Amino acid sequence: MSQVCRDGQRVAGEAPPSPGPDPLPTSGAAAATTKTRAPSRTATKADSATTTAAGSPQVTIYTDGGASPNPGKGGYGVVLLYGKHRKELSAGFQRTTNNRMEILAAIAGLEVLREPCQVTLYSDSQYLVNAMTKGWVERWRRKGWMRTKKDAAKNPDLWDRLYLLCQRHTVSFKWVRGHASNVENNHCDRLATQARKLPDLAPDTGFEEDS
């Protein structure tokens, strides 16, 4: 059976999935994939993926995103780890914001998974992590994407996509300090920076100047 990404994009030229769980597509499923060195021994040991008793694969995702200036050209970078499997994603956009790229990085990592997974997602964005762990997004969504009676929540197009993905997957959001000692977070930062410097960047169709 052909492999299909969460967003419906068909992955060409791949063999049928192996009998064992492997939720990461091996090629072509996202905007960009880059081969780099393997993660450090510490990171590999901490993030080795297994399968839960219930049968759901355990996947670790690192994300980062940003824009320079803000708003301005932006990009995101993602690293997905599952056992011995590793996949990197990145994409750049003409005009966007730091916050939109942080959210979109999480979306990109989750959308590429082929089946429901137990996910630990690391981000250096307190905005992203707090919104997902403190119930802000669920509350905004319940109130028609209003933060208060007068103020609309920003980036509802992305928050809704992320919320729905978290209904498919069991996601634990973890904050890490940016530009510090986390190898994979730093690598995501490099991927995001490289992506926003590429020519012919795509438009961020949901971007609004006050987002």
Side-chain angles (χ1 to χ4, degrees), residues 64-141:
D64 195 23
S68 181
N70 183 35
K73 292 182 178 180
Y76 67 75
V78 183
V79 171
L80 299 97
L81 302 173
Y82 173 73
K84 296 180 180 179
H85 301 276
R86 176 186 180 88
K87 188 169 185 66
E88 298 181 359
L89 316 173
S90 62
F93 296 87
Q94 294 172 5
R95 186 167 176 80
T96 188
T97 65
N98 287 335
N99 286 338
R100 287 186 66 80
M101 291 297 95
E102 295 282 12
I103 304 167
L104 191 56
I107 291 170
L110 293 172
E111 280 187 339
V112 81
L113 297 175
R114 302 186 315 197
E115 61 185 273
C117 296
Q118 300 276 343
V119 179
T120 303
L121 191 150
Y122 293 93
S123 171
D124 62 11
S125 169
Q126 293 189 12
Y127 174 62
L128 170 65
V129 173
N130 287 341
M132 297 305 297
T133 60
K134 295 185 177 182
W136 299 352
V137 169
E138 189 171 6
R139 184 170 66 251
W140 298 337
R141 192 173 191 267

Side-chain angles (χ1 to χ4, degrees), residues 13 37 60 67 79 82 87 110 129-130 135 173 187 190 201 211:
R37 67 183 185 278
T60 300
V79 171
Y82 173 73
K87 188 169 185 66
L110 293 172
V129 173
N130 287 341
F173 290 85
H187 185 60
R190 288 192 294 271
L201 296 176
S211 63

Side-chain angles (χ1 to χ4, degrees), residues 32-60:
T33 303
T34 308
K35 291 183 179 180
T36 61
R37 67 183 185 278
S40 68
R41 184 173 181 272
T42 302
T44 303
K45 181 177 180 181
D47 301 326
S48 295
T50 59
T51 301
T52 64
S56 298
Q58 291 186 331
V59 177
T60 300

